[in-house]
Amino acid sequence: MKQFSYVRVTSGKAAISELSKDKTAMFLAGGTNLVDLMKSGVTNPERLVDITRVPLATIEATKTGLRIGALAKNTAVAEHPLVLKHFPLLSQALNAGASPQLRNMATVGGNMMQRTRCHYFYDTALPCNKRNPGSGCGAIGGFSRMHAIFGASDKCIAVHPSDMCVALTALDAVITVTGAKGERKISFGEFHRLPGDTPEIDNTLQRGELITAVDIPFNDALQQTHYLKVRDRASYAFALVSAGVALSLKGNNIADVRIAMGGVAHKPWRLKEAEAYLKGKPATEEHFREAARLTMAQAKAEEGNAYKLTLAPNTIVEALKLAAANGNI
Amino acid sequence: MKDDQLMNEEHSGTSRRSFLKRTSLMTAMALAPETVIKAAEKGLDEKIAATIETMPLNVTINGVKQSVRIEPRVTLLDLLRERLQLTGTKKGCDHGQCGACTVHIDGERVNACLTLAVTTEGRDVTTIEGLAKGDELHPMQEAFLEHDGFQCGYCTPGQIMSAICCIREGHADTPDEIREYMSGNICRCGAYSNIVDAIMDVKQGGKKV
Ligand SMILES: Cc1cc2nc3c(=O)[nH]c(=O)nc-3n(C[C@H](O)[C@H](O)[C@H](O)COP(=O)(O)OP(=O)(O)OC[C@H]3O[C@@H](n4cnc5c(N)ncnc54)[C@H](O)[C@@H]3O)c2cc1C
Ligand code: FES
Ligand code: FES
């Protein structure tokens, strides 16, 4: 790991001001992604601003929803009684990610900001437009087993690896960030971006801004949830494809539904068209299949990830079945 | 030049400054950020020494207060193994992927390889060396012996540190639950079934972990 200077701060204000002192400076939260990337030489900040002691780890109910501080640990969120009560999908998604040790370290803000696990991004000897703009995308025509089937570009087919973000996208969360110019809100779906011609930019956070909280609006109708993660081993592996579903039934009809997917795009992938189709329809496999078919109309694969064209719709259908049956299949 | 070697030099009593004076320009460039490279280009070894900062760190490890000076880039794992000679905690992957480096910080299990040591200021760290009371092994250590919870033993310190928290967190009620909540510890010898047995045994024995 290269040398860097280190400063520990205890307020958001100090964090923002310390970050501005070096154009390569970065915030350090749990470190589970950043320290890894620094060891690999992918990210080389000359200054780290340790924000782990900034008091932004509270999880509390507001009038309209649940507010989760950006420095709340993944474990703390997954096991919080208010999260379990109101947003079981978030808890399920978090618990499907990484390992207990990593979840004890990882924070909500860091999880959102984690970078792709694309092999070409991690290996500094290989071409990657995300790490080294203009060097090309090694995954296109290369090893693309983990890669995107939605919204990719000819510059980058990497996926965002987070499980937590799939749930937060489905649950219409809103992010609060603070910078030198003050506070602003970003809806979760607008936070991460598609690669286009600038895959080096993962999201819409501006340099110098600190994520302070995530708000999830209460919607207690959406109590039937399931997070289905398909991976190479039963646990402690990134998703090949995942689907998060939250729905409510009236009789056997779908009163309301939210669906998002992971492992399929450069951002957590919300299935709005499928949701609109399913609303009001009976919760049958036939309708789930049609919702999946509508979603897959936009899909495009490389040779290496062509299997996802089958795996993704099956995952959608299975997750919907499990949510509709409340896990009792 | 590896971080480890840098620390060993310091440990053996050679001062960082004189050590750096002895190193070649090339070595300095290999480990240095821009600022240092600039200093090095001017041939100013003194300046190189001045720019490679160490920081004070006060941390309690296995009940003993430690005050050391370290570079910010040193991980807790390297501090334990290379500087404090607490080599019970193992380095498997060094990237958060195996769990061999699992230790407790303020009672919670974490990966020491992804923890920068400077971030543990004021914290309480427990390693495998901190479990036994004199000659009396911790119940989890006993159970691993009794159930053959290992073959080569390389992953074992991490497994034991993780297993203790698995019970403390309330995630050891069934073999399936144990398997899920021990998934952050890989065993290349495949001692998994005996590890699960050991944890079940401790859990059912009801001894305080
Ligand atoms: C072996 C392994 C397996 C994993 N498996 C999974 C998995 O299956 N599913 C999954 O979802 N994730 C997985 N992860 C990734 C893990 O979830 C992330 O590394 C973690 O969530 C990052 O959070 P952190 O607090 O450690 O971030 P850090 O590493 O500290 O920071 C990451 C980035 O976020 C920035 N940042 C942090 N906080 C803020 C803030 N408040 N405001 C602005 N910027 C901020 C940092 O500057 C940095 O750029 C895995 C990681 C490893 C190492
Ligand atoms: S050495 Fe830390 S997880 Fe492998
Ligand atoms: S006992 Fe050999 S790796 Fe686990």
Side-chain angles (χ1 to χ4, degrees):
Chain A
M1 210 187 309
K2 287 194 178 148
Q3 284 284 347
F4 54 86
S5 66
Y6 168 91
V7 59
R8 191 181 299 124
V9 293
T10 51
S11 76
K13 213 171 153 199
I16 293 161
S17 123
E18 285 296 334
L19 194 87
S20 69
K21 291 183 182 166
D22 183 322
K23 65 180 191 315
T24 71
M26 293 180 82
F27 295 130
L28 175 73
T32 59
N33 191 224
L34 186 53
V35 173
D36 190 17
L37 289 169
M38 287 168 69
K39 284 185 179 187
S40 306
V42 175
T43 308
N44 300 303
E46 287 184 31
R47 182 178 181 77
L48 285 189
V49 180
D50 180 353
I51 56 173
T52 47
R53 299 185 197 206
V54 176
L56 284 174
T58 314
I59 303 169
E60 61 190 353
T62 65
K63 275 191 198 120
T64 53
L66 193 63
R67 168 159 273 226
I68 302 172
L71 284 154
K73 298 283 167 66
N74 284 188
T75 302
V77 179
E79 295 187 347
H80 198 280
L82 288 172
V83 174
L84 288 165
K85 176 162 184 255
H86 298 286
F87 306 108
L89 182 65
L90 177 58
S91 181
Q92 291 156 5
L94 278 163
N95 280 330
S99 69
Q101 290 96 313
L102 289 162
R103 295 196 295 270
N104 280 344
M105 303 168 73
T107 62
V108 167
N111 193 317
M112 287 162 45
M113 295 292 288
Q114 68 172 298
R115 308 212 67 194
T116 187
R117 308 299 289 200
C118 173
H119 180 65
Y120 297 91
F121 176 71
Y122 258 82
D123 190 336
T124 54
L126 298 174
C128 169
N129 284 327
K130 187 181 272 301
R131 173 173 36 75
N132 183 12
S135 62
C137 171
I140 297 176
F143 185 78
S144 58
R145 192 169 165 271
M146 300 293 291
H147 292 71
I149 53 170
F150 295 120
S153 74
D154 59 0
K155 299 281 191 298
C156 178
I157 59 170
V159 300
H160 192 263
S162 169
D163 293 296
M164 177 194 82
C165 292
V166 174
L168 289 175
T169 303
L171 296 169
D172 292 315
V174 176
I175 302 157
T176 303
V177 307
T178 309
K181 288 186 218 133
E183 193 173 279
R184 69 187 178 104
K185 309 242 178 231
I186 309 169
S187 72
F188 211 90
E190 308 279 303
F191 184 77
H192 298 97
R193 58 185 291 284
L194 291 177
D197 287 334
T198 50
E200 67 276 18
I201 307 170
D202 290 347
N203 54 56
T204 53
L205 191 77
Q206 300 296 308
R207 163 119 202 114
E209 284 179 327
L210 175 74
I211 303 167
T212 55
V214 177
D215 286 278
I216 319 176
F218 285 135
N219 187 343
D220 281 347
L222 295 170
Q223 270 297 323
Q224 291 185 226
T225 65
H226 196 83
Y227 189 75
L228 182 61
K229 181 173 177 181
V230 185
R231 42 189 155 170
D232 285 330
R233 53 186 186 205
S235 185
Y236 199 15
F238 286 94
L240 297 168
V241 169
S242 71
V245 173
L247 57 76
S248 59
L249 295 176
K250 213 175 202 166
N252 192 38
N253 278 8
I254 298 168
D256 202 358
V257 59
R258 305 274 187 281
I259 319 168
M261 297 187 84
V264 293
H266 197 256
K267 59 188 284 185
W269 198 247
R270 179 81 180 260
L271 274 54
K272 288 230 162 138
E273 202 183 349
E275 292 172 9
Y277 167 80
L278 287 170
K279 240 175 241 178
K281 294 208 173 56
T284 61
E285 171 147 4
E286 186 196 341
H287 291 124
F288 298 158
R289 283 259 158 240
E290 179 58 16
R293 195 193 61 78
L294 286 171
T295 304
M296 295 307 294
Q298 309 163 52
K300 197 174 151 269
E302 295 283 309
E303 208 179 301
N305 62 354
Y307 73 96
K308 289 193 184 182
L309 298 178
T310 312
L311 182 60
N314 286 345
T315 306
I316 298 170
V317 171
E318 213 50 36
L320 280 162
K321 278 207 270 186
L322 283 157
N326 236 341
N328 300 316
I329 290 191
Chain B
M1 164 97 28
K2 293 274 263 306
D3 306 5
D4 317 356
Q5 283 167 273
L6 256 178
M7 285 191 300
N8 280 338
E9 283 284 342
E10 196 176 80
H11 186 78
S12 64
T14 319
S15 85
R16 175 168 302 270
R17 192 160 289 248
S18 67
F19 162 65
L20 279 163
K21 271 186 172 170
R22 283 189 281 108
T23 58
S24 72
L25 192 71
M26 286 315 290
T27 315
M29 307 229 341
L31 57 81
E34 290 287 297
T35 40
V36 180
I37 292 173
K38 269 177 219 143
E41 278 163 356
K42 290 182 200 146
L44 303 170
D45 279 2
E46 275 297 321
K47 276 202 179 159
I48 300 173
T51 33
I52 298 180
E53 293 288 353
T54 60
M55 293 190 66
L57 168 67
N58 299 292
V59 56
T60 303
I61 298 175
N62 299 329
V64 180
K65 286 211 164 96
Q66 300 280 356
S67 294
V68 291
R69 285 197 75 88
I70 50 156
E71 294 174 11
R73 65 176 168 168
V74 174
T75 61
L76 175 60
L77 179 59
D78 285 340
L79 172 72
L80 292 171
R81 291 183 54 84
E82 311 292 338
R83 178 81 170 259
L84 302 174
Q85 269 63 54
L86 291 169
T87 52
T89 308
K90 299 299 179 217
K91 183 184 281 192
C93 65
D94 213 20
H95 287 277
Q97 297 174 1
C98 75
C101 65
T102 304
V103 298
H104 301 171
I105 298 184
D106 291 346
E108 290 190 349
R109 49 175 161 164
V110 298
N111 303 86
C113 70
L114 293 183
T115 304
L116 293 177
V118 282
T119 65
T120 64
E121 174 69 31
R123 306 282 195 225
D124 227 312
V125 176
T126 307
T127 70
I128 190 79
E129 290 92 341
L131 293 183
K133 293 198 180 80
D135 282 344
E136 193 192 327
L137 293 180
H138 184 280
M140 193 61 78
Q141 291 174 307
E142 291 278 9
F144 267 65
L145 281 172
E146 194 167 315
H147 290 272
D148 275 338
F150 50 84
Q151 284 179 37
C152 78
Y154 197 81
C155 71
T156 313
Q159 299 279 2
I160 290 177
M161 298 311 285
S162 202
I164 291 169
C165 287
C166 185
I167 293 183
R168 282 190 194 155
E169 293 160 5
H171 294 307
D173 285 335
T174 64
D176 268 351
E177 194 183 22
I178 291 172
R179 277 189 276 274
E180 173 60 32
Y181 280 88
M182 287 297 291
S183 69
N185 293 80
I186 308 286
C187 173
R188 115 174 234 297
C189 299
Y192 295 114
S193 56
N194 293 355
I195 292 172
V196 173
D197 289 348
I199 299 173
M200 280 303 280
D201 199 4
V202 176
K203 164 80 188 177
Q204 282 160 2
K207 272 199 197 153
K208 191 176 178 296
V209 291

